Amino acid sequence: MDIAGMDMTTAGSLLRDRKISVSELAGEYIKNIREKDPSIGAYLHVCESKTREDIQKAQDMIDRGEASPLAGIPYALKDNICTRGIETTCASRILKGFLPPYNATVADRLDAAGGVLLGKLNMDEFAMGGSTENSAFGITRNPHDKSRVPGGSSGGSAAAVAASMALFTLGSDTGGSIRQPASFCGVTGLKPTYGRVSRYGLVAFASSLDQIGPLGKTVRDCALVMEAIAGHDPMDSTSAAGKDACFTGELEQGIKGMRIAVPREYLAEGISPGVREKVLEGLDMLASMGAVWEEVELKLHDAAISAYYIISSAEASSNLARYDGIKYGFRSDNARDLAELYSKTRNEGFGEEVKRRIMLGTYVLSSGYYDAYYIKALKIRSLIKEEFDTVLGKYDLIAGPTTPTTAFGIGEKTGNPLEMYLGDVYTVSVNIAGLPAVSLPCGTDTSGLPVGFQLIGRAFDEKTLLRCARALEKAREVLP
Amino acid sequence: MKVTTETVDYVAALARLSFHGDEKEKMAAQLQGILSYMEKLDALDTEAVKPLEHLENAVNVFREDEVRDSFPREEILRNAPRRDTRAFKVPGIME
C-alpha cells in the first residue's frame, strides 16, 4: 500500500469501506517509522500498548458504524502535550521520565474521535526555538534534505507528516512554531485563533500566545482535525465559548471576489529570491481564481519581533518558575541547601536557549525595567493588534511568505540567537494579535526545498482562511 | 542599557539560575545584543496607548465553589524525585 500520497479523506474511506483494517493502516505507518525515523529523528517516544488499545477501539467504532472522520487515523503529538501515563518531556532534561497524571484536552478529544496515537514528537526544548536543534535529546532532520533543519519548534510534527510517519500531527505555535516547520517541510500547518483550542495539558510557554494546531498533508485534513479538537473547555479559562464548530463547510466554495492584502514589508529585502518567486506565483494563482490582491503598509511590522520576544520571554520566565526539582522532573544531586537545589536543578536541567529566554524575561519584568520593556511591549501589542484589525476590516485575508528563506543547514544559525529570532519575522505578529494563520506549500526553490505561503485571517474566521488555502492548494494540484 | 556581569548575577538570582566564569560574560553579551536590538521600540510613541493585557473581552471565569474529586495522592507523588509514603521530601529550611 502506498501511504505516501494518502490523506485522511482517502484513508478514512478505505477504513469505512473495509478495504483495510485499522491495524493494517497503522502498521504501514509504524513500518515507516521503523525504516525512516532512525535517519530523521522525529519521534522521542513511540507508543506500544496505547497504540494497540487505540487500534482496537477504532476498529470497534468503525465496525459499529459509529466512525467519525478521525476513527482509525494514525497521528502523533508534539511532546509538550500531556498524555496520561506516557512520557512527556518537552524535549528537556528537566522533564525526562515525567509521566503526566492527566491527558491534555486535545488528547482526550482525539481519543474520543477514535484516532490512533503513534507517539510523541521532538521539538525545541519548551517550544523555544526555530530549528528543533534546541532539543535535549537530539536533532530532527528535514526529510527533503537531511543536512537541513525541519524548522521549529514543532520540527518533529512537521517532519513526521512530510515523511509519512503519521497522517496528521499536533504541534503548538507561540511565534510561528507550527507554520515555520510546516513551511520548511512542505506540509500544511494551521495556528487557530487564540482561544479556539484548549491549552489544558499544553505545557505552557507563553500563555497569551500559545495555541495548539494541526499539521497535515492537506487543508481538508487540518480542517477535519480542527473539528475534533476545537471548542470551549471549562478547564481553560482562555478558551472561547459559543464559536462555530464547523471548519470544513466552505472549503470548496472558491474565492471569487475575495480581497487579499499583501504587506509591502513582507516582500521587501531579506527574503530569498526563491521564496519571493513562489509567493508571487501563488498570488497570481489566487488572482486567476477571482481574488483581488493589493499591496498595503504595515507600519508596525518592524516592531513585532521585539515586542514578541519581550512578551513571550516574560511569560516564559513566569511559566518555567515551576521547574524547581521538588514535585516532578529532574532534581540535582549536587545541592547543599534549598537555594542550591533550585539553581543547580535549573542549571543542570535547562538547555542554553531556555536559560537565555528566562534571563531575558526576568530582566524585562524586573524592577526598574518593567515599564520600559514589558509595559512598552504590551502597548506595542495593542497597536499591532489594532493595525491588523484595521487591515482585516478592509480585506478578507493577509498573504505573504511564511518564512524569509527555505530550510537552513543544521548548525548554520546556532551561533547567533538574534539571527535565529529574525527568521520569525512573518509569523510572530499573528500570535501577538491572536489571529488564525495557515502555512501551505507553494512550490520549491531551485534547491528543491519547500516554500511556504502564509495566509492570515480575522479572529474566529478560519472558514475564510481555509477556503482560500484550499483554493491555492487546488490550483497547485494541477501544476505539472 | 549596559548589561554587565553584575546584571547577570542579579537577574540570575531572581530566576534561580546561576552562571559561572565565561558563561557570565557570554550571557551578558547575548542579552546586550538582544536588548540593543529592542531599542527600536523607543522610537514608537505609545504615550496614549493602553497596554493590551487580554486578547478577548472575557472577564473573570469562575466556577461554583463546590468540592470536586482531585487526584489520588499516589498519582501526584508518582513523579516525585524524593518522597516518603505520603509527601514530597525537601531539604530542611530551618536549623
Side-chain angles (χ1 to χ4, degrees):
Chain A
M1 187 189 323
D2 176 26
I3 58 171
M6 211 180 273
D7 64 7
M8 275 164 63
T9 309
T10 316
S13 311
L14 289 173
L15 289 167
R16 282 187 295 277
D17 293 342
R18 304 292 194 281
K19 299 245 171 71
I20 42 166
S21 69
V22 174
S23 177
E24 281 167 335
L25 183 64
E28 289 293 317
Y29 284 89
I30 293 165
K31 183 162 132 238
N32 247 16
I33 293 171
R34 223 172 269 143
E35 285 169 7
K36 295 188 180 177
D37 208 43
S39 65
I40 291 175
Y43 279 85
L44 286 176
H45 177 88
V46 177
C47 299
E48 286 185 26
S49 57
K50 168 75 175 148
T51 309
R52 280 197 298 271
E53 278 164 36
D54 283 356
I55 288 172
Q56 190 59 64
K57 179 155 152 246
Q59 192 62 65
D60 287 344
M61 281 173 79
I62 290 172
D63 292 343
R64 287 196 306 267
E66 282 170 25
S68 83
L70 266 66
I73 302 294
Y75 72 97
L77 298 173
K78 185 175 182 182
D79 206 26
N80 58 355
I81 295 174
C82 285
T83 39
R84 186 188 297 112
I86 297 170
E87 193 179 18
T88 299
T89 66
C90 302
S92 178
R93 228 170 281 129
I94 220 167
L95 281 177
K96 182 92 189 88
F98 175 64
L99 301 178
Y102 71 106
N103 243 7
T105 296
V106 293
D108 275 342
R109 289 182 182 183
L110 290 177
D111 274 349
V116 175
L117 179 64
L118 296 173
K120 308 300 293 294
L121 300 162
N122 202 15
M123 52 186 283
D124 280 297
E125 189 180 355
F126 284 107
M128 298 177 190
S131 64
T132 308
E133 289 169 297
N134 292 325
S135 168
F137 306 123
I139 61 168
T140 298
R141 295 172 182 276
N142 192 316
H144 292 271
D145 177 342
K146 292 182 189 165
S147 71
R148 293 176 183 269
V149 301
S153 59
S154 311
S157 305
V161 173
S164 299
M165 296 191 290
L167 198 32
F168 75 87
T169 58
L170 290 189
S172 71
D173 189 312
T174 304
S177 288
I178 284 174
R179 294 162 285 150
Q180 184 254 39
S183 171
F184 281 8
C185 290
V187 301
T188 298
L190 170 69
K191 182 203 89 69
T193 310
Y194 183 84
R196 266 292 191 191
V197 178
S198 171
R199 291 181 302 107
Y200 180 71
L202 172 68
V203 174
F205 161 14
S207 312
S208 78
L209 299 164
D210 294 344
Q211 268 295 276
I212 292 175
L215 292 94
K217 291 215 162 144
T218 67
V219 174
R220 170 167 292 271
D221 283 4
C222 289
L224 287 169
V225 177
M226 282 299 292
E227 287 180 350
I229 64 174
H232 180 251
D233 179 16
M235 298 303 285
D236 174 3
S237 61
T238 63
S239 77
K243 302 296 178 188
D244 180 7
C246 179
F247 292 85
T248 50
E250 289 176 15
L251 282 181
E252 307 297 333
Q253 278 180 20
I255 55 172
K256 252 208 171 76
M258 221 181 236
R259 301 154 305 161
I260 298 173
V262 180
R264 89 159 70 103
E265 292 81 5
Y266 284 13
L267 292 173
E269 16 148 312
I271 173 179
S272 77
V275 170
R276 182 197 304 275
E277 186 193 314
K278 288 295 156 188
V279 170
L280 287 173
E281 206 176 273
L283 290 170
D284 280 342
M285 286 182 195
L286 293 177
S288 73
M289 288 183 285
V292 174
W293 72 265
E294 263 167 35
E295 223 181 55
V296 300
E297 203 188 352
L298 279 184
K299 292 202 176 81
L300 291 161
H301 172 71
D302 221 26
I305 295 254
S306 303
Y308 170 77
Y309 276 96
I310 291 171
I311 296 168
S312 65
S313 302
E315 292 185 5
S317 73
S318 175
N319 281 324
L320 270 65
R322 68 193 68 185
Y323 302 105
D324 58 10
I326 302 293
K327 298 190 287 293
Y328 45 77
F330 169 77
R331 177 191 285 208
S332 171
D333 286 329
N334 304 319
R336 291 166 298 182
D337 57 30
L338 187 63
E340 274 201 355
L341 184 71
Y342 291 152
S343 64
K344 290 215 155 114
T345 292
R346 290 160 69 79
N347 265 6
E348 292 163 29
F350 285 142
E352 248 190 72
E353 181 62 32
V354 170
K355 285 192 258 199
R356 190 162 29 240
R357 302 232 195 157
I358 291 174
M359 288 292 284
L360 185 60
T362 306
Y363 181 91
V364 303
L365 288 174
S366 66
S367 167
Y369 299 117
Y370 181 85
D371 285 324
Y373 287 101
Y374 184 65
I375 295 298
K376 181 83 181 177
L378 290 188
K379 291 182 171 194
I380 304 281
R381 181 171 198 176
S382 189
L383 292 176
I384 289 176
K385 176 152 171 52
E386 203 184 298
E387 188 173 60
F388 270 87
D389 286 345
T390 304
V391 173
L392 290 166
K394 301 195 197 95
Y395 296 87
D396 297 302
L397 297 167
I398 293 170
T402 308
T403 48
T405 65
T406 53
F408 46 87
I410 290 164
E412 201 181 299
K413 292 204 179 170
T414 46
N416 185 347
L418 188 57
E419 203 194 319
M420 188 75 86
Y421 299 168
L422 292 173
D424 298 334
V425 69
Y426 306 123
T427 50
V428 294
S429 6
V430 174
N431 304 77
I432 288 174
L435 301 173
V438 65
S439 176
L440 65 156
C442 68
T444 57
D445 69 4
T446 50
S447 309
L449 295 168
V451 176
F453 190 97
Q454 179 176 237
L455 287 162
I456 304 166
R458 284 181 287 258
F460 299 103
D461 192 14
E462 280 85 348
K463 275 212 180 114
T464 303
L465 182 67
L466 295 174
R467 177 154 58 107
C468 187
R470 173 58 188 143
L472 181 59
E473 182 184 75
K474 220 172 186 160
R476 293 213 59 87
E477 274 164 14
V478 298
L479 283 181
Chain B
M1 213 94 275
K2 188 82 186 75
V3 179
T4 62
T5 52
E6 279 79 38
T7 319
V8 171
D9 283 338
Y10 170 71
V11 176
L14 288 173
R16 301 294 188 264
L17 291 170
S18 64
F19 298 90
H20 309 280
D22 287 345
E23 290 176 339
K24 267 194 220 186
E25 265 112 36
K26 193 170 166 211
M27 181 57 65
Q30 285 178 344
L31 286 178
Q32 180 75 76
I34 295 167
L35 291 164
S36 300
Y37 173 81
M38 289 172 174
E39 273 163 23
K40 57 171 72 203
L41 293 184
D42 296 340
L44 293 166
D45 177 15
T46 53
E47 192 56 50
V49 182
K50 223 175 126 231
L52 196 164
E53 280 164 6
H54 299 285
L55 281 169
E56 294 150 79
N57 295 320
V59 290
N60 288 328
V61 178
F62 292 132
R63 65 173 177 88
E64 287 305 309
D65 187 14
E66 293 159 347
V67 174
R68 292 184 186 174
D69 278 341
S70 182
F71 285 91
R73 188 188 288 264
E74 258 320 295
E75 280 290 307
I76 295 304
L77 289 174
R78 181 150 59 135
N79 288 296
R82 279 251 195 107
R83 54 167 292 189
D84 64 16
T85 51
R86 37 186 314 282
F88 300 99
K89 267 191 160 162
V90 299
I93 307 170
M94 290 177 282
E95 291 303 309

